[in-house]
């Protein structure tokens, strides 16, 4: 049977706990993915998300999420389906994906800011370190090391740092 429920929790093995209050039951469900294996992005619905599930003899599957009063269609969605905002979701890239050789990487979109990283670092930290290095850059010349970058360069790098802070958490 096909039922609509609400995600009450995420389970460690990639399943979610879903409550179906209108039929007074709950179930652990796997989440349907567009593809599996090394070339996939694994997406679990957030707690509180309304989902459509197929429940049959213990083989419970979340077919997809649906918009609801609690999670309405995002502002800025055009009729052609182009999204202006993504809301809040977590994408977990499995081992071997996107050129990764080991471990896990995660991308999280929350409150209009992104986090992209792994267990050791994230993109914001890397970009901030790069900007700091640019501000202190010196170059070897025939007369010895150059001075630090001129004020227009420092100002440009500072502007980039501000943009990094607006995009990444």
């Amino acid at each position: 049977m096909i039922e609509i429920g609400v995600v009450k929790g995420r389970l460690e093995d990639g399943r979610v706990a879903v409550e179906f209050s209108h039929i007074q039951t709950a179930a652990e469900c796997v989440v349907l993915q567009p593809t599996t294996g090394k070339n996939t992005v694994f997406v679990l619905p957030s707690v509180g998300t309304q989902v459509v599930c197929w429940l049959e003899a213990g083989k419970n599957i979340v077919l997809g999420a649906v918009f609801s009063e609690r999670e309405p269609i995002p502002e800025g969605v055009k009729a052609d389906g182009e999204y202006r905002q993504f809301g809040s979701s977590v994408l977990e890239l499995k081992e071997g994906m996107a050129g990764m050789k080991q471990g896990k990487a995660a991308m999280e979109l929350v409150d209009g800011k992104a986090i992209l990283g792994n267990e050791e670092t994230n993109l914001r930290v890397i970009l901030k370190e790069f900007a700091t290095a640019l501000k202190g850059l010196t170059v070897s010349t025939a007369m010895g090391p150059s001075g630090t970058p001129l004020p227009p360069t420092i100002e440009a790098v500072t502007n980039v740092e501000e943009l990094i802070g607006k995009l990444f958490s």
Side-chain angles (χ1 to χ4, degrees):
M1 80 180 140
I2 304 288
E3 294 292 341
I4 294 178
V6 175
V7 175
K8 292 299 179 182
R10 290 179 167 175
L11 308 174
E12 288 192 24
D13 60 356
R15 294 177 298 134
V16 292
V18 181
E19 180 180 278
F20 306 93
S21 59
H22 63 286
I23 58 173
Q24 299 176 341
T25 193
E28 293 180 2
C29 302
V30 296
V31 179
L32 184 67
Q33 300 295 319
T35 184
T36 60
K38 291 184 179 180
N39 298 317
T40 186
V41 174
F42 184 54
V43 182
L44 288 177
S46 302
V47 172
T49 298
Q50 190 172 24
V51 292
V52 176
C53 299
W54 174 33
L55 307 174
E56 188 163 326
K59 296 180 182 178
N60 307 320
I61 301 172
V62 173
L63 300 175
V66 293
F67 294 114
S68 63
E69 285 183 27
R70 182 168 183 225
E71 291 186 335
I73 295 173
E75 291 180 28
V77 174
K78 290 183 170 182
D80 65 1
E82 180 185 338
Y83 287 90
R84 299 270 184 223
Q85 124 185 14
F86 292 96
S88 176
S89 63
V90 174
L91 306 177
E92 182 175 309
L93 306 179
K94 291 186 174 182
E95 184 175 334
M97 289 198 49
M100 293 193 59
K101 293 186 172 112
Q102 61 185 1
K104 292 182 180 179
M107 182 176 81
E108 187 171 353
L109 305 171
V110 179
D111 297 327
K113 290 194 176 186
I115 300 171
L116 175 61
N118 61 21
E119 294 149 345
E120 295 181 24
T121 190
N122 66 60
L123 189 54
R124 178 186 172 125
V125 169
I126 294 167
L127 292 172
K128 290 289 217 172
E129 288 290 321
F130 184 68
T132 300
L134 280 177
K135 286 180 175 179
L137 179 68
T138 58
V139 179
S140 295
T141 70
M143 304 300 275
S146 68
T148 56
L150 296 172
T153 302
I154 298 293
E155 183 179 333
V157 173
T158 301
N159 289 340
V160 169
E161 286 179 309
E162 289 175 16
L163 293 172
I164 292 167
K166 289 179 181 178
L167 180 60
F168 294 105
S169 291

